[in-house]
Amino acid sequence: MADKITLGKALNHGLRRSLENDPKVVIMGEDVGKLGGVFRITDGLQKDFGEDRVIDTPLAEAGIVGTAVGLAIRGYRPVCEIQFDGFVFPAYNQIVAQVAKMFYRSKGKVRVPMVIRIPYGGGIGAVEHHSESPEAYFSHTPGLKVVSCSNPADAYTMIQQAIASDDPIVFFEPKRRYWEKGDVELDAPLADAYPLHNARVARAGSDATLLAYGPMVRVAMDAAAVAAEDGRQLEVIDLRTLSPVDYPVIFESVRRTGRAVVIHEAPGNLGLGSELAARISEECFYSLEAPVLRVTGYDIPYPAARSEEEYLPDLDRVLDAVDRSFGW
């Protein structure tokens, strides 16, 4: 039987299950304990598992991640929470110079099994540094794996799979989707879950492929529903894993539909959409009926809350890109 819960609650359940299943799992971050996190993702966990396993840290992201590196080397599985996306940059050096390099530096002798959770993206009316989309920085870094859930069911299983992995994983959570509900099978064995680093066809179609992840999957699904009213069957692929990208699923779809539109909140310049467009063009050139198009945030600092709806990719911008693709 499935429970209908929010994405945020699904993450809470997934973290709880990981804490129950492995005594080496520890959660650490700013206000994750008594407060339960600013979004209440860790609500109740410190009360049930104690202050030694759900740790309130100082406001020091470099210290949080650096401490987690040491814990991971000593056999623990730390789960760091970066309170907001824009707060990750003080820890950037630790992530790219230590977390990402340790396995290679030690010639495979030292693993760093840790998860860095980052609520990301806009749409919540927040102030500066609270609505960033920094996923390209980390997806570009060899040695890191990067994933993003888009719905409660994936949130529940993906966070557990990330914690159980022996690789360091940056786990991006679409914060404006925290309150959206979906069916989650809380009692299903994790071994039966969809693989962590596989993309998923969220909606089948034959006329064009929409590629999205995290908060933009819902926008892509809405666009596909509207396009269907006009007789266009759009296939929606939820990437789920940003590094490594599951290219075989993407290539199969684009070779069949002949058209592709990539959607993400982050600025377009050198974003993930650029790499996806390049790879699709290289691998599917003779199947394409039109250039690969991108619908992204603009190449500006994230705007003030009163202007963010003009910045974020929306239904109209996606459908306009689809129309342009069919215009070729």
Side-chain angles (χ1 to χ4, degrees):
M1 293 292 292
D3 295 89
K4 187 172 286 293
I5 58 176
T6 65
L7 190 151
K9 193 65 175 176
L11 287 167
N12 179 276
H13 280 293
L15 290 168
R16 176 178 293 277
R17 189 168 178 182
S18 293
L19 287 163
E20 291 171 345
N21 290 341
D22 188 346
K24 292 294 188 179
V25 173
V26 295
I27 295 173
M28 53 198 298
E30 299 159 7
D31 298 319
V32 299
K34 290 181 173 62
L35 182 65
V38 292
F39 294 106
R40 304 300 185 266
I41 304 303
T42 54
D43 187 39
L45 298 182
Q46 188 183 78
K47 178 177 69 70
D48 294 339
F49 294 95
E51 296 182 3
D52 291 337
R53 297 192 65 198
V54 182
I55 305 164
D56 280 317
T57 68
L59 306 184
E61 286 78 13
I64 294 168
V65 175
T67 301
V69 172
L71 286 167
I73 290 173
R74 292 301 299 268
Y76 290 87
R77 292 185 178 272
V79 181
C80 305
E81 178 181 299
I82 303 298
Q83 195 170 71
F84 282 92
D85 34 54
F87 298 176
V88 73
F89 297 109
Y92 187 76
N93 180 62
Q94 289 284 353
I95 297 171
V96 302
Q98 306 299 333
V99 177
K101 300 290 194 299
M102 192 63 68
F103 184 70
Y104 184 82
R105 181 185 300 148
S106 66
K107 297 182 179 179
K109 295 178 182 178
V110 178
R111 286 193 172 275
V112 189
M114 59 184 287
V115 175
I116 302 170
R117 294 180 42 243
I118 305 178
Y120 80 118
I124 64 168
V127 296
E128 189 179 26
H129 307 308
H130 289 67
S131 300
E132 309 293 329
S133 295
E135 61 271 18
Y137 294 108
F138 303 105
S139 300
H140 180 72
T141 303
L144 298 176
K145 291 186 176 180
V146 183
V147 300
S148 180
C149 56
S150 68
N151 59 76
D154 273 352
Y156 176 64
T157 57
M158 288 174 70
I159 190 63
Q160 294 179 71
Q161 292 168 319
I163 294 170
S165 173
D166 287 332
D167 296 313
I169 295 180
V170 183
F171 194 97
F172 281 100
E173 302 168 6
K175 69 170 83 78
R176 67 165 155 157
R177 306 299 183 203
Y178 274 152
W179 301 275
E180 295 183 3
K181 291 186 175 182
D183 291 333
V184 179
E185 295 183 10
L186 296 174
D187 296 325
L190 188 61
D192 295 341
Y194 199 74
L196 177 61
H197 294 295
N198 283 22
R200 187 199 301 272
V201 177
R203 177 179 176 129
S206 56
D207 297 328
T209 301
L210 304 183
L211 303 170
Y213 56 89
M216 286 291 102
V217 173
R218 177 182 167 185
V219 176
M221 293 290 283
D222 290 345
V226 172
E229 298 175 3
D230 295 329
R232 288 177 178 166
Q233 300 303 317
L234 307 183
E235 182 148 294
V236 178
I237 295 179
D238 180 355
L239 296 180
R240 301 176 78 249
T241 173
L242 311 183
S243 181
V245 175
D246 186 8
Y247 281 111
V249 171
I250 296 170
F251 296 157
E252 189 282 328
S253 176
V254 174
R255 287 177 179 133
R256 185 163 32 80
T257 66
R259 305 176 193 277
V261 176
V262 187
I263 311 160
H264 59 68
E265 282 190 25
N269 184 43
L270 298 179
L272 279 169
S274 303
E275 179 65 18
L276 290 167
R279 290 295 300 275
I280 292 169
S281 297
E282 290 173 1
E283 299 293 334
C284 306
F285 181 79
Y286 291 107
S287 300
L288 288 172
E289 300 291 340
V292 180
L293 300 179
R294 293 173 292 157
V295 181
T296 70
Y298 298 109
D299 295 328
I300 60 173
Y302 195 88
R306 64 178 177 272
S307 303
E308 69 177 347
E309 293 305 322
E310 302 299 322
Y311 173 89
L312 293 169
D314 60 11
L315 179 69
D316 289 338
R317 288 176 61 192
V318 173
L319 291 175
D320 177 68
V322 172
D323 285 342
R324 286 188 288 122
S325 180
F326 278 94
W328 285 82

